[in-house]
Amino acid sequence: MSEHTATLDGEKPPITDTSHHTTPTNRRRHTLFAAANRIKPGMLSHWYAIPAIIVGLLFTLGPICVIVAFSFMSQPEVGGGVVYKFSTNAYKKLLFTTDFLGRTSFDPRYLKVFGTSLWQALITTFVCIVLSFFIALWMSLRKPSTQRLLVLLINIPFWTNLIVRTYAWMLILNENGPINGFLKFIGVGSKQLLYTSGASLIGLIFTFLPFAIMPMYSALSGFDFRLVEAAYDLGARKLTVMRRIILRAAKPGVTSAIALCFIPAFGSYVQPVLLGGGRVLMVGNLIASQFSDARNWPFGAALSTVILLVTLLCGVAASIGGGKAARDAGMAV
Amino acid sequence: MSDKQDNVTSSSEASEPQIIHMDYGTATEFGAIVERTIDERGGNAAVQMPQWLEDKQPDRALSTRRSGRNRLKTFPGVAFISVLVILFLYLPMLMVVGFSFNGGRQALLWKGFSFSWYGKVFHDPAIISATLTSLEIAVIAMVLSTVIGVMFVLAADQMSHAGSAVASWLINASLIIPEVVLGVATMGFIRMIGLKPGMLPLILAHTTFCVPFVVMPLRARLQTIDTSCFEAAVDLGASPLVTVRRVTLPLLTPAIVSGALMAFVISMDDFMISNFLTSAGTTTLPIYIFSLIRKGVNPSINVVATLLLLLAVIVTVVSSVLTNRKDD
């Protein structure tokens, strides 16, 4: 961090310029001589990174700091926004409720919302990882040209509009949709499929499956399948090969898939609203409603801060676990 | 002169252990050479396999019958599950496409093939204006994020290790943070700095979350480029900026185009963050569709959804073709 700020403040002047000025007459030889210190040929000086850093500071770090600050402020008498007065009421509201007489009691309502989010995100992540393992294994055993085509097929849903993908399931699960049509046809009668927590779960799995397949595929596509043959030659059975060779190779993919599925699923908004209807309340919906309808910004900010902490923990866990998994896989290979 | 020539060719692999080329006779001799080399060079030496050994295919006699029967490709259920997964990913979207050609007034009651809803959508002023707003934001965000991303990738090499890591973290953070949180946080932030919701915050926020999508393919491409091209350009007297313009950028073009396309799609698709930054006059297409869906299923949603799906297909295919090109 300190070196990074030094770059920004200009305390560390670019060595390029000084080296350039010392021997202006013989630049070509000098280029080779100072190759390690001067700007590598074909690259730009580090000053060109500044716009990206400014954008990141302003619109990623800045908002995060603001939201954390908001969570410690007070709610105005009327309307949204915050009053610049320190208060931890927002965090108290997460766990406790105060009635009209000023008595404080434990309130599990918001914990339940976190529980729903956690539950939906965990199931989504688990199903996505299991399915992605099978398809990634299958993909990585195809011919290279088929593999490219399959990667393309997996990429298309990834780049399709989230709302379009969620809407597609609204069509399917609708009471006049094909599934209910089939149920009526075989005489079971129509069932309420849309606006259930199951529908929201299907939407989440559908959305995050490509997120899991891609890291899983990149872990398995680099795997040397001759090791599997070697394992068979050494007398291993199918299950042993799966468990001790292939699953090990897939481990880095599993950790990235957890990070890529769990965190966004935990904070999801669109699928619970469109597919879960009013029945599924996840943290994302709670946050959004705090900033629009109920208008308790500090409380919404406190919820966001909790999500950010969960994200940070997951990120740290994934990078530690990812490093370990990569090492394990390296040992296996 | 010859010394300099040598420098140019070997500079990229200077840090790698020295490679010894020799002809080996029998396996025993080969093993002896390996052992001796490791002894002499303190374990820091690498011995290159002779070509015939690299190319050698396993003898038929070596593979047992058991391994032949236990072919990995016959893992039970793997192919079946994979096909189901692909169907699971595609059937819902194919259904949307199918129903976009429905002639009836209801989204789900099939009344025969017709383009009538396409005609209605192309003449719907609300959809057109939302599309234009989205396109405007997406194009500006695409250009800005591509310029910023290219500059960052080319400059990141010159930054200190820690500096580059922190900057990458800062840029990629918007990928990891849940969109809802980033949305409300950005809304709080623009309010704090005194901006009003509308076009400017939308463009700035879109640019920010598009940058990582530009940076990813660029970094991957940069690793595959032979740096001796740049050294050759400098040796021939090109100034650093000319080298960037005439050598680096042309070599990176496929990745730049693919990154820009991704940025365009990501910006076109964003609902969550825009939802918190939009004002009355700047409804983007996803926000408009979302409000339509909440009002009830409507056949024109099928048409817009099909068109957005088409956009995703085009962009994915183009960027896949660009990144898989083998000619350079």
Side-chain angles (χ1 to χ4, degrees):
Chain A
M1 187 69 199
S2 62
E3 277 179 89
H4 163 61
T5 43
T7 311
L8 262 186
D9 297 339
E11 286 164 24
K12 196 179 71 181
I15 303 155
T16 342
D17 293 354
T18 53
S19 61
H20 178 83
H21 290 306
T22 44
T23 50
T25 44
N26 205 343
R27 239 173 84 202
R28 281 168 63 188
R29 189 183 295 170
H30 196 80
T31 305
L32 285 167
F33 175 69
N37 287 332
R38 59 162 294 135
I39 297 174
K40 277 189 204 152
M43 298 292 153
L44 291 168
S45 117
H46 57 253
W47 300 107
Y48 285 90
I50 288 177
I53 292 170
I54 289 177
V55 161
L57 282 175
L58 272 185
F59 287 94
T60 310
L61 199 61
I64 293 173
C65 294
V66 167
I67 208 79
V68 174
F70 273 10
S71 71
F72 289 106
M73 290 176 186
S74 324
Q75 191 187 358
E77 298 287 318
V78 281
V82 290
V83 180
Y84 299 113
K85 201 176 107 209
F86 180 81
S87 144
T88 51
N89 282 343
Y91 288 96
K92 281 184 195 141
K93 200 181 171 203
L94 285 175
L95 289 176
F96 302 103
T97 176
T98 307
D99 60 19
F100 289 114
L101 299 169
R103 282 175 304 194
T104 307
S105 56
F106 179 67
D107 177 16
R109 269 186 308 166
Y110 299 119
L111 266 188
K112 269 188 195 148
V113 176
F114 272 95
T116 313
S117 301
L118 192 66
W119 183 234
Q120 295 244 338
L122 280 178
I123 297 182
T124 304
T125 312
F126 179 76
V127 174
C128 285
I129 285 177
V130 171
L131 292 181
S132 69
F133 174 74
F134 284 108
I135 190 168
L137 180 61
W138 184 69
M139 279 165 73
S140 50
L141 285 167
R142 301 299 104 192
K143 284 185 305 195
S145 56
T146 321
Q147 282 190 31
R148 269 201 295 280
L149 188 73
L150 285 168
V151 169
L152 191 67
L153 273 183
I154 300 303
N155 264 324
I156 289 173
F158 183 87
W159 294 108
T160 306
N161 192 305
L162 174 68
I163 294 177
V164 168
R165 280 186 287 165
T166 314
Y167 170 73
W169 280 99
M170 290 182 79
L171 283 187
I172 290 181
L173 300 173
N174 197 290
E175 56 188 308
N176 300 318
I179 294 184
N180 264 325
F182 177 74
L183 288 178
K184 272 180 214 156
F185 178 75
I186 60 169
V188 179
S190 84
K191 287 225 163 38
Q192 174 72 37
L193 297 170
L194 193 58
Y195 308 131
T196 59
S197 61
S200 158
L201 201 56
I202 288 180
L204 286 174
I205 294 169
F206 184 67
T207 308
F208 294 112
L209 197 52
F211 287 69
I213 296 175
M214 293 206 288
M216 198 72 89
Y217 169 72
S218 70
L220 284 179
S221 65
F223 177 65
D224 186 350
F225 278 94
R226 285 178 301 181
L227 284 174
V228 170
E229 282 169 31
Y232 283 134
D233 283 349
L234 293 170
R237 285 163 194 279
K238 243 176 206 173
L239 270 180
T240 319
V241 168
M242 198 68 145
R243 190 165 51 85
R244 296 195 50 185
I245 313 282
I246 301 177
L247 273 180
R248 276 229 180 157
K251 253 189 181 178
V254 173
T255 19
S256 338
I258 290 176
L260 286 174
C261 292
F262 182 76
I263 298 171
F266 190 75
S268 60
Y269 172 85
V270 172
Q271 300 86 348
V273 167
L274 292 184
L275 297 171
R279 282 163 216 262
V280 184
L281 186 60
M282 286 179 62
V283 188
N285 312 80
L286 193 58
I287 292 177
S289 69
Q290 294 307 318
F291 282 88
S292 51
D293 312 332
R295 294 192 161 266
N296 186 346
W297 282 35
F299 181 56
L303 290 167
S304 307
T305 309
V306 174
I307 288 205
L308 283 174
L309 281 177
V310 171
T311 308
L312 196 66
L313 284 178
C314 283
V316 170
S319 65
I320 293 172
K324 192 182 171 298
R327 277 199 303 280
D328 286 357
M331 269 159 63
V333 172
Chain B
M1 185 59 207
S2 71
D3 183 44
K4 181 176 162 186
Q5 201 78 35
D6 207 56
N7 258 339
V8 171
T9 48
S10 67
S11 66
S12 61
E13 50 198 44
S15 57
E16 283 174 21
Q18 198 178 343
I19 293 169
I20 301 160
H21 297 270
M22 271 185 211
D23 283 327
Y24 317 107
T26 63
T28 335
E29 262 175 63
F30 178 64
I33 291 172
V34 172
E35 225 163 69
R36 207 174 59 228
T37 321
I38 290 173
D39 276 352
E40 279 170 6
R41 297 174 192 271
N44 193 26
V47 179
Q48 199 174 42
M49 295 267 269
Q51 198 54 47
W52 63 266
L53 200 55
E54 283 279 5
D55 295 339
K56 192 168 178 347
Q57 296 294 317
D59 298 331
R60 196 162 268 281
L62 272 177
S63 70
T64 57
R65 275 194 64 216
R66 193 165 167 277
S67 86
R69 266 188 295 122
N70 269 303
R71 288 297 296 261
L72 187 89
K73 288 171 191 182
T74 63
F75 265 119
V78 168
F80 180 68
I81 293 176
S82 306
V83 173
L84 280 190
V85 167
I86 291 177
L87 286 179
F88 173 69
L89 286 175
Y90 276 89
L91 279 184
M93 295 198 287
L94 289 179
M95 196 170 143
V96 174
V97 175
F99 273 104
S100 75
F101 298 109
N102 188 3
R105 287 183 59 81
Q106 277 189 307
L108 277 167
L109 241 55
W110 185 258
K111 286 272 169 69
F113 185 89
S114 143
F115 280 108
S116 65
W117 283 101
Y118 282 83
K120 287 199 180 89
V121 162
F122 291 140
H123 291 101
D124 184 330
I127 291 179
I128 290 174
S129 106
T131 312
L132 287 180
T133 310
S134 268
L135 280 176
E136 190 181 341
I137 296 170
V139 168
I140 299 176
M142 173 182 83
V143 172
L144 285 178
S145 59
T146 308
V147 171
I148 291 173
V150 170
M151 274 163 52
F152 174 72
V153 168
L154 293 184
D157 221 46
Q158 295 311 124
M159 296 164 70
S160 67
H161 190 69
S164 148
V166 170
S168 302
W169 180 86
L170 194 62
I171 287 165
N172 288 329
S174 62
L175 280 182
I176 305 162
I177 300 170
E179 282 188 304
V180 144
V181 175
L182 202 57
V184 295
T186 312
M187 175 172 77
F189 179 75
I190 61 160
R191 202 180 151 115
M192 194 107 152
I193 61 172
L195 274 177
K196 287 257 181 302
M199 212 59 178
L200 184 63
L202 278 172
I203 289 171
L204 290 173
H206 279 231
T207 306
T208 311
F209 65 70
C210 286
V211 170
F213 290 93
V214 176
V215 168
M216 268 189 293
L218 277 174
R219 284 220 155 134
R221 174 89 185 165
L222 205 57
Q223 281 175 351
T224 65
I225 290 182
D226 186 358
T227 47
S228 55
C229 297
F230 307 142
E231 282 156 21
V234 172
D235 278 355
L236 292 169
S239 73
L241 277 180
V242 170
T243 314
V244 168
R245 194 161 50 85
R246 304 280 298 271
V247 183
T248 317
L249 290 184
L251 281 173
L252 285 176
T253 301
I256 294 175
V257 174
S258 139
L261 281 175
M262 285 177 178
F264 180 78
V265 175
I266 289 292
S267 168
M268 277 298 279
D269 283 356
D270 178 72
F271 164 73
M272 214 51 237
I273 294 168
S274 313
N275 195 24
F276 290 104
L277 301 176
T278 181
S279 61
T282 54
T283 308
T284 64
L285 191 57
I287 296 176
Y288 184 70
I289 307 174
F290 188 81
S291 69
L292 271 187
I293 294 174
R294 296 218 62 183
K295 270 184 226 153
V297 177
N298 175 326
S300 60
I301 304 171
N302 294 336
V303 174
V304 181
T306 307
L307 295 176
L308 283 172
L309 184 64
L310 190 68
L311 175 75
V313 172
I314 292 173
V315 166
T316 321
V317 171
V318 169
S319 72
S320 156
V321 167
L322 284 174
T323 44
N324 281 331
R325 262 195 349 184
K326 289 235 176 83
D327 54 356
D328 44 20

